[in-house]
């Protein structure tokens, strides 16, 4: 079975037999695909493990080829997100992040879905999630050693967020409330007080919209340098954000 082949591959890998290990992972992948029931998660784990073999053997281009195949998982996540099926998108982004913890798009996706689910389902949003496949520690540390622990082998799914970017639900909720208060103050024309609210919110949660909102206030207050800085921060989080680009343009124009 693909599971048995993967475990055998892990065993070879630990003994330093990277060629044979890659061969076993390839056979497992072929079996999964032949059976037609290959889940994106299982494929990603096998590809990550095979990539680790290629890396050890110095076959860099093959390693890169396997790594980029995590993209289908990200594409599916993006599709779920577009369909507003946030919990399914969250699971896919999370899985991709477990397979390769350096994928910025997966980080950003997890953060966006966390916010969306918090707004939709409240502080207990995690309880409504489908199970997240457990990726072996092997594939979590960016192509280090595949472990014997098969995904889903009686291990509870890793629902706890990994990475320091995940804030507590309570903190996120407070950040959201502070942002809303800032928005209300902007409507009343009180930009100075709104800046305070947005600043408090940003200490709890760095969110693109909060930066662009605070930038709007800084523009109104003629604090153009600060406005430009906030837009730059927003663009780090979302490089194509139109509001951030437009408001930074306004600020830079004033700064000549």
């Amino acid at each position: 079975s693909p599971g048995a082949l993967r475990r055998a591959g892990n065993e070879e890998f630990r003994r330093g037999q990277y060629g044979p290990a890659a061969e076993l992972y390839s056979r497992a992948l072929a079996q999964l695909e032949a059976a037609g029931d290959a889940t994106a998660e299982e494929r990603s784990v096998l590809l990550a493990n095979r990539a680790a073999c290629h890396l050890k053997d110095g076959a860099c281009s093959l390693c890169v080829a396997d790594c980029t195949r995590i993209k289908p998982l990200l594409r599916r996540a993006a599709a779920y997100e577009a369909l507003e099926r946030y919990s399914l998108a969250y699971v896919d982004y999370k899985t991709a992040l477990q397979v390769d913890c350096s994928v910025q798009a997966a980080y950003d996706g997890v953060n966006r879905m966390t916010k969306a689910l918090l707004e939709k389902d409240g502080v207990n949003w995690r309880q409504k999630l489908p199970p997240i496949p457990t990726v072996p520690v092997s594939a979590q540390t960016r192509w280090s050693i595949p472990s014997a622990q098969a995904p889903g082998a009686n291990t509870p799914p890793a629902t706890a967020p990994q990475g320091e970017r995940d804030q507590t639900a309570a903190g996120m909720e407070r950040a959201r409330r502070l942002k809303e208060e800032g928005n209300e103050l902007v409507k009343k024309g009180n930009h100075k007080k709104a800046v305070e609210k947005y600043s408090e919110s940003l200490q709890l949660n760095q969110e693109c919209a909060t930066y662009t909102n605070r930038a709007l206030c800084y523009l109104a207050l003629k604090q153009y340098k600060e406005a430009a800085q906030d837009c730059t921060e927003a663009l780090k989080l979302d490089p194509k954000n139109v509001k951030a680009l437009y408001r930074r343009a306004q600020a830079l124009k004033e700064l000549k």
Side-chain angles (χ1 to χ4, degrees), residues 107-119:
Y107 256 127
D108 296 342
V110 165
N111 282 335
R112 280 197 309 278
M113 294 311 93
T114 301
K115 282 164 206 159
L117 288 163
L118 186 61
E119 287 187 17

Side-chain angles (χ1 to χ4, degrees), residues 164-190:
E164 65 280 10
R165 285 173 173 242
D166 262 294
Q167 285 88 1
T168 64
M172 301 275 278
E173 179 56 37
R174 178 154 167 69
R176 193 179 66 77
R177 275 207 309 276
L178 284 160
K179 184 178 82 171
E180 294 300 325
E181 285 172 34
N183 294 351
E184 288 307 312
L185 287 160
V186 169
K187 284 174 195 166
K188 291 176 188 158
N190 191 343

Side-chain angles (χ1 to χ4, degrees), residues 40-42 44-45 70 73-74 76 88-101 106 110 131-135 139-140:
E41 293 81 14
E42 280 179 289
S44 292
V45 173
I70 291 163
L73 198 55
L74 291 173
R76 187 174 72 175
L88 291 172
Y90 178 89
V91 169
D92 276 355
Y93 282 129
K94 200 75 179 164
T95 305
L97 203 51
Q98 285 188 74
V99 173
D100 182 352
C101 62
V110 165
I132 295 170
T134 308
V135 176
Q140 287 180 23

Side-chain angles (χ1 to χ4, degrees), residues 28-29 42 46 84 181 222 231 251:
L29 278 162
E42 280 179 289
L46 283 163
E84 296 182 12
E181 285 172 34
K222 297 186 166 42
C231 293

Side-chain angles (χ1 to χ4, degrees), residues 181-248:
E181 285 172 34
N183 294 351
E184 288 307 312
L185 287 160
V186 169
K187 284 174 195 166
K188 291 176 188 158
N190 191 343
H191 294 103
K192 211 166 176 178
K193 196 92 180 103
V195 164
E196 288 171 27
K197 295 290 180 188
Y198 291 140
S199 300
E200 277 185 73
S201 177
L202 285 164
Q203 280 177 348
L204 294 163
N205 182 29
Q206 285 74 54
E207 191 185 319
C208 189
T210 316
Y211 277 119
T212 55
N213 290 4
R214 190 169 70 174
L216 179 71
C217 295
Y218 281 139
L219 284 170
L221 296 164
K222 297 186 166 42
Q223 290 177 251
Y224 302 119
K225 211 169 140 197
E226 288 84 350
Q229 267 171 346
D230 271 1
C231 293
T232 299
E233 288 304 317
L235 288 162
K236 282 182 195 166
L237 296 168
D238 175 10
K240 294 193 179 87
N241 191 284
V242 178
K243 275 185 189 171
L245 288 165
Y246 179 62
R247 287 176 188 165
R248 189 167 67 178

Side-chain angles (χ1 to χ4, degrees), residues 10-71:
N10 291 353
E11 202 43 58
E12 291 293 334
F13 191 105
R14 267 200 303 282
R15 290 175 31 221
Q17 303 298 312
Y18 305 121
E23 180 59 36
L24 286 159
Y25 294 138
S26 297
R27 279 171 54 199
L29 278 162
Q31 279 191 16
L32 270 183
E33 279 157 26
D37 60 358
T39 66
E41 293 81 14
E42 280 179 289
R43 283 189 71 245
S44 292
V45 173
L46 283 163
L47 287 164
N49 287 4
R50 191 170 70 179
C53 298
H54 294 324
L55 197 59
K56 293 282 188 186
D57 268 348
C60 297
S61 60
L62 288 173
C63 174
V64 169
D66 276 351
C67 297
T68 50
R69 290 187 201 173
I70 291 163
K71 282 182 180 164

Side-chain angles (χ1 to χ4, degrees), residues 139-165:
Q140 287 180 23
T141 47
R142 198 155 194 221
W143 327 130
S144 68
I145 299 170
S147 73
Q149 178 61 68
N154 308 322
T155 50
T159 44
Q162 276 135 8
E164 65 280 10
R165 285 173 173 242

